[in-house]
Amino acid sequence: MSGIDELFNKNRAWAHSVKTSDPDFFQKLANQQSPEYLWIGCSDSRVPANQIVGLLPGEVFVHRNVANMVVHTDFNCLTVLQYAVDVLQVKHVLVVGHYNCGGVRAAYENRDNGLIDNWLRNVKDVQHRHRRRIAALEDDDARIDLLCELNVMSQASNVCHTTIVQNAWSRGQELSVHGWIYSLKDGLITDLECTVSSARQISDVYRVLPDQE
């Protein structure tokens, strides 16, 4: 039996298990999705969004890319964000990185990785802005983990700077943006305490309406 065939077998076993415990689960799931959360995370296979926070399918809308980036010219990410905020009316955007991120490490180590280096220039921007704080640490592993945290915080800010989120706030929509980081060593999430819930919390330079309160 091939590895692909095994995936089909596991799918059938999973579907049977779910239906046994909740006969109406798939019918409810097919009718609509109404998640309260948008998860913007890393593509790393060790960081599955639903399982980490104990949510079922249908309870979290997910976008993933290398190093959990939110780039203002990335229409893939922005489309997901717009759909989640405007259509699904999520209440929380979770930007979730993880320690020892391969993308962040590759950016920090300044290796030649080919095409992806153009994407990772966004992480280098974060590294450059915080270079003194990062350099003050004594070993590379600690520096990379700090850069992972700083990158999450920067990408959470980028979410807040989008017209999508600011327009939601301007029409009174309940929406908070959070920055979290996940540890592969113990499976625990840490809140980086950079939550933003209104335009008042961001610099007026980035506000769509500078006098927006």
Side-chain angles (χ1 to χ4, degrees):
M1 180 180 295
S2 71
I4 293 297
D5 290 336
E6 183 63 20
L7 293 182
F8 282 102
N9 287 338
K10 289 182 177 181
N11 167 252
R12 295 185 187 96
W14 171 78
H16 177 74
S17 174
V18 171
K19 196 166 184 179
T20 299
S21 61
D22 183 356
D24 298 324
F25 178 82
F26 290 111
Q27 184 59 49
K28 290 184 291 187
L29 200 64
N31 287 338
Q32 65 176 1
Q33 62 170 337
S34 55
E36 291 191 8
Y37 311 97
L38 167 61
W39 175 292
I40 300 177
C42 183
S43 297
D44 194 300
S45 61
R46 300 167 295 177
V47 191
N50 289 69
Q51 290 93 323
I52 286 174
V53 287
L55 294 177
L56 294 170
E59 294 183 323
V60 58
F61 200 57
V62 178
H63 174 78
R64 298 171 71 176
N65 60 54
V66 174
N68 43 269
M69 303 299 300
V70 179
V71 180
H72 296 306
T73 54
D74 178 7
F75 290 102
N76 185 351
C77 180
L78 294 181
T79 298
V80 172
L81 179 62
Q82 187 271 332
Y83 187 81
V85 171
D86 293 352
V87 179
L88 297 178
Q89 300 272 300
V90 298
K91 291 183 172 62
H92 302 276
V93 178
L94 314 172
V95 180
V96 187
H98 65 96
Y99 290 118
N100 196 25
C101 176
V104 172
R105 179 176 288 275
Y108 174 84
E109 293 178 347
N110 209 26
R111 297 177 305 202
D112 182 359
N113 300 286
L115 177 64
I116 195 173
D117 288 330
N118 297 281
W119 179 255
L120 296 178
R121 284 293 179 265
N122 297 288
V123 181
K124 298 292 286 185
D125 290 341
V126 178
Q127 181 183 354
H128 180 70
R129 286 199 301 273
H130 300 279
R131 59 193 179 279
R132 291 184 180 85
R133 183 178 172 187
I134 293 169
L137 299 179
E138 294 185 356
D139 66 85
D140 283 344
D141 287 342
R143 291 171 182 167
I144 290 167
D145 280 348
L146 175 58
L147 182 54
C148 289
E149 294 179 352
L150 294 170
N151 184 54
V152 168
M153 297 169 73
S154 178
Q155 305 317 314
S157 292
N158 286 346
V159 172
C160 298
H161 298 163
T162 64
T163 58
I164 299 161
V165 168
Q166 292 193 48
N167 286 337
W169 284 332
S170 70
R171 61 179 177 259
Q173 186 171 333
E174 179 185 349
L175 181 65
S176 295
V177 180
H178 311 265
W180 294 354
I181 194 156
Y182 174 73
S183 173
L184 296 168
K185 294 179 179 178
D186 59 17
L188 297 178
I189 291 172
T190 299
D191 186 350
L192 295 176
E193 299 182 356
C194 58
T195 298
V196 177
S197 301
S198 75
R200 293 190 304 273
Q201 295 174 263
I202 65 176
S203 169
D204 57 4
V205 171
Y206 293 104
R207 295 184 193 177
V208 175
L209 302 174
D211 59 348
Q212 187 176 6
E213 295 295 331

